[in-house]
């Protein structure tokens, strides 16, 4: 029996290595190891051996079975790889053909403008800073001199987070102004900073109002800073975006964190006599600003006798509308590819 087993090993391994395709290999496998295969038959005959021979011959038979199984597996992998390689260079495939074009991404119009402005302001020594979108009530309102019962808190139509009872309140930031507070605490004065970012308000939507939109805060605090510095920064910003002077107007505006406060409006580019974008006025409210209120400086530990500053809050989404001639702000956050694909990089 031992001789028969050795012959089985020799012939079996030879048959495996000679097989050129998977069908032949499968035939060899079933002739050797199948239910009626040669080795299976030998294994069945083990019971007839003497108790002394059985373990020795049994061990040999198992070794041969494993050797054959290993060789079969190795040969199967080799044949499969060879078949794949043959397919790849066969008639079916022309590797010199260009592939299917991958869809190209673009930069969202709001991000494109934010990046341009970051370049303009960085070159003037401004730091680009960011804050979290979930903000504390203290930073979003208190440190900005907005009293607890002030209508400005309601006016922002704040979206409040659920917090455990007794914990400080948190909200989705309603403006980028809390980054003024964060940056002043981080860097102290003198400081020049801009902070582009996403803000949220529970707001009825229309062509110029969305519940989620982008602003860019600007802040300069130093000794002897005044309104002319602010106007220079605002005009530099608009020229940076539009590459030319825009027709603008400045009017008084009220924000608890500035004194005096202003509103900078730009002439509506969509009409001459009033439309749904400018709501008939021919002006679009773009950028409020003013001189930093002494209470804000005090809240971050600065002496308002020593330092002064200006801040502005640009409506980035609205600037993008003007720049690209988009007549409805709701396109910006719509995620609609027909809109976005127009802004390929
Ligand atoms: C503010 O948010 C102040 N934090 C701005 C500020 C900063 C004032 C620093 C003074 C000093 P306001 O709520 O007006 O202000 O919003 C600023 C700009 O954001 C607006 O001029 C407008 O361009 C844009 N904006 C306001 N609400 C919306 C909205 N719902 N959708 C799109 N843009 C909006």
């Amino acid at each position: 029996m031992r001789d028969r087993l050795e012959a089985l090993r020799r012939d079996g391994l030879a048959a495996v290595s000679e097989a050129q395709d998977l069908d032949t290999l499968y035939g060899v496998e079933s002739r050797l190891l199948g239910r009626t295969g040669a080795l299976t038959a030998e294994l069945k005959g083990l019971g007839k051996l003497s108790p002394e021979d059985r373990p020795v011959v049994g061990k040999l038979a198992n070794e041969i079975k494993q050797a054959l199984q290993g060789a079969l597996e190795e040969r199967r992998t080799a044949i499969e790889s060879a078949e794949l390689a043959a397919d790849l260079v066969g008639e079916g495939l022309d590797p010199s053909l260009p592939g299917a074009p991958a869809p190209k991404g673009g930069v969202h119009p709001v991000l494109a403008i934010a990046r341009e402005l970051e370049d303009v302001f960085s070159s003037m020594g401004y730091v680009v800073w960011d804050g979290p979108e979930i903000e504390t009530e203290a930073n979003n309102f208190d440190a900005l001199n907005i009293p607890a019962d002030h209508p400005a808190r309601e006016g922002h139509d704040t979206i409040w987070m659920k917090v455990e009872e007794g914990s400080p309140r948190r909200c989705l930031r309603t403006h980028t102004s809390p980054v003024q507070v964060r940056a002043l605490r981080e860097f102290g004065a003198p400081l020049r900073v801009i902070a582009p970012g996403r803000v949220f308000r529970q707001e009825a939507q229309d062509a110029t109002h969305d519940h989620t939109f982008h602003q860019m805060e600007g802040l300069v605090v130093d000794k002897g800073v005044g309104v002319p510095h602010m106007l220079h920064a605002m005009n530099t910003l608009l020229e940076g975006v539009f590459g030319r002077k825009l027709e603008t107007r400045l009017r008084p505006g009220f924000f608890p964190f500035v004194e005096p406060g202003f509103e900078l409006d730009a002439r509506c580019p969509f009409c001459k006599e009033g439309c749904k974008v400018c709501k008939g006025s021919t002006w679009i409210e773009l950028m409020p600003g003013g001189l930093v209120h002494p209470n804000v400086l005090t809240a971050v530990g600065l002496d308002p006798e020593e330092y002064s500053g200006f801040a502005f809050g640009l409506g980035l989404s609205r600037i993008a509308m003007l720049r690209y001639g988009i007549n409805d702000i709701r396109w910006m956050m719509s995620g609609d590819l027909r809109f976005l694909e127009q802004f390929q990089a």
Side-chain angles (χ1 to χ4, degrees):
M1 183 172 178
R2 217 174 279 195
D3 292 344
R4 280 203 312 274
L5 282 173
E6 286 299 351
L8 243 173
R9 180 190 336 232
R10 196 179 52 244
D11 298 346
L13 289 177
V16 169
S17 67
E18 275 161 24
Q20 294 301 319
D21 56 63
L22 290 176
D23 277 351
T24 312
L25 193 68
Y26 182 71
V28 172
E29 182 173 18
S30 68
R31 269 203 318 280
L32 293 169
L33 303 173
R35 246 184 332 136
T36 54
L39 186 67
T40 317
E42 294 294 351
L43 287 168
K44 279 182 192 156
L46 281 176
K48 293 186 195 124
L49 293 178
S50 68
E52 303 85 61
D53 286 344
R54 206 179 296 153
V56 184
V57 180
K59 188 163 173 259
L60 176 68
N62 266 326
E63 266 172 35
I64 293 174
K65 186 176 177 188
Q66 279 171 11
L68 289 172
Q69 280 172 333
L72 280 162
E73 194 48 47
E74 211 172 280
R75 188 70 195 129
R76 186 174 298 120
T77 310
I79 293 175
E80 280 171 355
S81 310
E83 284 182 354
L84 182 66
D87 273 356
L88 287 177
V89 295
E91 284 173 25
L93 184 90
D94 178 355
S96 65
L97 279 179
K104 255 199 225 143
V107 178
H108 191 283
V110 170
L111 185 60
I113 292 191
R115 284 188 180 162
E116 278 179 29
L117 289 174
E118 285 171 17
D119 281 351
V120 171
F121 279 85
S122 305
S123 73
M124 298 192 295
Y126 283 67
V127 178
V128 181
W129 203 237
D130 195 9
E133 291 180 341
I134 297 177
E135 188 51 282
T136 60
E137 180 174 27
N139 284 342
N140 199 81
F141 294 111
D142 301 338
L144 290 168
N145 194 38
I146 308 178
D149 56 351
H150 198 283
R153 262 183 222 229
E154 301 308 316
H156 276 199
D157 296 314
T158 311
I159 299 165
W160 292 100
M161 312 301 293
K162 268 196 185 142
V163 290
E164 273 178 36
E165 233 181 281
S167 308
R169 292 213 296 171
R170 289 172 178 273
C171 60
L172 290 180
R173 66 175 175 188
T174 56
H175 51 173
T176 44
S177 297
V179 187
Q180 290 185 31
V181 178
R182 288 179 172 272
L184 281 170
R185 288 205 181 114
E186 181 79 22
F187 299 109
L191 177 67
R192 291 177 221 184
V193 63
I194 54 162
R198 200 158 59 145
V199 304
F200 310 84
R201 294 182 192 180
Q202 201 151 2
E203 180 118 56
Q205 292 169 286
D206 62 28
T208 54
H209 292 82
D210 210 343
H211 47 70
T212 303
F213 58 100
H214 288 75
Q215 291 187 338
M216 193 181 85
E217 200 75 7
L219 171 77
V220 169
V221 175
D222 207 334
K223 291 179 180 162
V225 174
V227 172
H229 301 102
M230 180 189 81
L231 288 177
H232 177 262
M234 284 175 155
N235 286 328
T236 307
L237 191 159
L238 292 177
E239 277 172 42
V241 175
F242 295 100
R244 63 185 163 86
K245 275 204 180 338
L246 276 196
E247 190 187 345
T248 56
R249 72 174 185 191
L250 201 61
R251 59 192 165 85
F254 174 72
F255 300 90
F257 36 97
V258 288
E259 178 59 36
F262 303 97
E263 287 279 3
L264 186 101
D265 303 331
R267 186 68 91 177
C268 179
F270 298 106
C271 69
K272 290 223 158 14
E273 57 292 309
C275 65
K276 72 167 183 167
V277 179
C278 61
K279 302 198 178 62
S281 74
T282 78
W283 292 99
I284 297 183
E285 182 189 310
L286 270 193
M287 185 165 34
L291 296 189
V292 180
H293 196 287
N295 289 354
V296 175
L297 295 174
T298 310
V300 295
L302 292 174
D303 178 1
E305 295 296 324
E306 190 182 359
Y307 286 105
S308 59
F310 68 80
F312 57 82
L314 172 72
L316 256 191
S317 307
R318 287 200 191 159
I319 282 272
M321 290 177 72
L322 295 184
R323 158 90 168 260
Y324 295 108
I326 300 162
N327 65 1
D328 198 314
I329 199 167
R330 286 165 288 194
W331 285 112
M332 300 289 188
M333 301 303 293
S334 67
D336 191 322
L337 282 179
R338 291 167 307 171
F339 168 72
L340 295 170
E341 278 166 355
Q342 297 172 57
F343 303 94
Q344 295 287 336

